[in-house]
């Protein structure tokens, strides 16, 4: 496996915004639909963006909610710089606190109304670390706060996994991904990409205190969910 494929501090990730759209059919819909759904929620003053590098959630939500205070967390300086360049393209200023750190080290004085965690969870190998991250997000949300989350979800041991990969390969090659890059992506599973099943993800979200969990988008192995934190879950 070429480690640079998921080395988020490697300068090669500068092409991320182009390649991610070639890999994920309907990539922009994950974010556009999130913004549409969020208009139905009464309070969106403070939004926590987990894995903010790349900047798509900041760009999309910033256009719909320009007065929001964003806290953008990512461990990669390079990816945060890419996000900042995206935001600089807007004709107005957003209020963003940039934090180059692990989410678990976040020490916010105030709770958030909304959190987003897109295309992050499957890069965390250990199940307990996935659980800790989801719990940290829940702990930093107000009661009735909302989380938008998307990730690769599948069972690597299932009979259908190879067929799922076959269909995804077809889509990526059709969208201009090279055979070499596809092979790097395919070989990343169990090495740098560590999916869990959708059922297990939902169980982890419930365990963290989310009482309403609804799917809002799916493309190949990627599911996008909206989850609402229940009151007095502690």
């Amino acid at each position: 496996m070429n480690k640079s494929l998921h080395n988020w501090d490697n300068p090669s990730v500068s092409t991320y915004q182009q390649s991610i759209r070639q890999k994920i059919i309907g990539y922009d819909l994950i974010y556009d639909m999130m913004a549409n759904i969020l208009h139905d929620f009464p309070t969106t003053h403070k939004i926590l963006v987990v894995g903010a590098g790349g900047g798509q959630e900041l760009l999309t939500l910033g256009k719909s909610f320009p007065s929001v205070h964003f806290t953008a967390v990512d461990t990669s300086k390079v990816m945060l710089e890419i996000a900042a360049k995206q935001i600089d393209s807007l004709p107005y200023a957003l209020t963003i606190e940039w934090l180059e750190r692990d989410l678990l080290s976040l020490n916010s004085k105030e709770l958030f109304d909304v959190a987003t965690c897109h295309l992050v969870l499957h890069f965390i190998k250990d199940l307990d670390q996935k659980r800790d991250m989801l719990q940290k997000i829940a702990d930093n949300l107000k009661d009735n706060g909302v989380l938008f989350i998307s990730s690769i979800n599948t069972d690597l041991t299932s009979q259908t996994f190879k067929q799922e990969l076959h269909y995804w390969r077809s889509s990526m090659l059709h969208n201009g991904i090279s055979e070499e890059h596809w092979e790097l992506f395919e070989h990343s599973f169990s090495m740098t990409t560590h999916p869990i099943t959708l059922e297990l993800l939902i169980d982890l979200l419930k365990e963290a205190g989310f009482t309403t969990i609804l799917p809002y988008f799916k493309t190949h192995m990627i599911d996008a969910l909206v989850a609402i934190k229940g009151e007095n879950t502690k």
Side-chain angles (χ1 to χ4, degrees), residues 134-135 138 204-212 228-231 233:
L134 294 176
Q135 188 63 63
L204 292 178
L205 288 168
K206 289 179 179 178
E207 184 181 321
F210 294 96
T211 53
T212 300
I228 302 173
K229 179 182 174 180
E231 294 185 2
T233 57

Side-chain angles (χ1 to χ4, degrees), residues 86-101:
Q86 285 261 82
I87 301 309
D88 287 343
S89 68
L90 294 174
Y92 46 83
L94 297 179
T95 302
I96 302 175
E97 180 183 8
W98 300 97
L99 298 176
E100 184 190 339
R101 65 177 62 173

Side-chain angles (χ1 to χ4, degrees), residues 24 30 117-123 130 133-134 148-154 168 193-198 201-202 205 216-225:
I24 300 177
I30 295 173
C117 181
H118 287 299
L119 306 175
V120 173
L121 193 69
H122 51 259
F123 293 121
K130 294 179 193 282
M133 187 182 77
L134 294 176
F148 291 89
I149 184 169
S150 60
S151 58
I152 297 176
N153 300 303
T154 190
W168 202 348
T193 303
H194 308 280
I196 56 176
T197 64
L198 177 60
L201 172 57
I202 291 172
L205 288 168
Y216 74 88
F217 182 77
K218 181 174 181 62
T219 177
H220 292 296
M221 300 180 200
I222 296 174
D223 299 280
L225 308 174

Side-chain angles (χ1 to χ4, degrees), residues 8-9 13 49-55 58 71-88 96-101:
W8 302 115
D9 284 313
V13 301
V49 182
V50 179
L58 292 167
T71 298
V73 181
D74 202 295
T75 58
S76 168
K77 180 180 180 180
V78 173
M79 290 298 287
L80 284 176
E81 289 173 349
I82 293 173
K85 287 180 181 179
Q86 285 261 82
I87 301 309
D88 287 343
I96 302 175
E97 180 183 8
W98 300 97
L99 298 176
E100 184 190 339
R101 65 177 62 173

Side-chain angles (χ1 to χ4, degrees), residues 14-234:
S14 60
T15 60
Y16 174 81
Q17 285 297 333
Q18 175 186 345
S19 64
I20 195 67
R21 287 172 170 82
Q22 293 173 297
K23 292 178 181 177
I24 300 177
I25 311 304
Y27 171 79
D28 290 294
L29 285 174
I30 295 173
Y31 301 90
D32 292 341
M33 292 177 68
M34 170 181 66
N36 293 341
I37 293 169
L38 199 49
H39 280 291
D40 277 343
F41 287 85
T43 307
T44 55
H45 301 310
K46 287 177 63 65
I47 297 181
L48 171 65
V49 182
V50 179
Q56 191 59 44
E57 46 272 86
L58 292 167
L59 191 66
T60 303
L61 292 177
K63 289 178 180 177
S64 297
F65 306 95
S67 62
V68 162
H69 182 281
F70 293 95
T71 298
V73 181
D74 202 295
T75 58
S76 168
K77 180 180 180 180
V78 173
M79 290 298 287
L80 284 176
E81 289 173 349
I82 293 173
K85 287 180 181 179
Q86 285 261 82
I87 301 309
D88 287 343
S89 68
L90 294 174
Y92 46 83
L94 297 179
T95 302
I96 302 175
E97 180 183 8
W98 300 97
L99 298 176
E100 184 190 339
R101 65 177 62 173
D102 187 276
L103 173 68
L104 297 182
S105 67
L106 178 68
N107 186 19
S108 177
K109 295 180 181 179
E110 297 182 45
L111 297 177
F112 295 89
D113 304 297
V114 179
T116 72
C117 181
H118 287 299
L119 306 175
V120 173
L121 193 69
H122 51 259
F123 293 121
I124 299 173
K125 181 176 182 178
D126 186 76
L127 181 60
D128 286 336
Q129 290 179 338
K130 294 179 193 282
R131 178 181 286 110
D132 290 345
M133 187 182 77
L134 294 176
Q135 188 63 63
K136 181 70 171 180
I137 293 173
D139 290 345
N140 278 276
L141 279 175
K142 296 177 181 178
D143 291 339
N144 295 317
V146 59
L147 166 65
F148 291 89
I149 184 169
S150 60
S151 58
I152 297 176
N153 300 303
T154 190
D155 180 355
L156 298 180
T157 66
S158 71
Q159 295 294 321
T160 59
F161 174 61
K162 287 186 177 180
Q163 191 66 46
E164 290 176 314
L165 274 181
H166 175 75
Y167 289 147
W168 202 348
R169 174 184 178 276
S170 178
S171 292
M172 285 196 196
L173 296 185
H174 180 76
N175 280 350
I177 290 292
S178 68
E179 183 69 42
E180 179 184 10
H181 201 94
W182 161 257
E183 290 176 0
L184 290 173
F185 176 79
E186 182 181 18
H187 294 154
S188 75
F189 284 91
S190 296
M191 297 187 70
T192 57
T193 303
H194 308 280
I196 56 176
T197 64
L198 177 60
E199 292 75 16
L200 179 52
L201 172 57
I202 291 172
D203 286 345
L204 292 178
L205 288 168
K206 289 179 179 178
E207 184 181 321
F210 294 96
T211 53
T212 300
I213 303 165
L214 298 170
Y216 74 88
F217 182 77
K218 181 174 181 62
T219 177
H220 292 296
M221 300 180 200
I222 296 174
D223 299 280
L225 308 174
V226 55
I228 302 173
K229 179 182 174 180
E231 294 185 2
N232 301 319
T233 57
K234 291 296 183 183

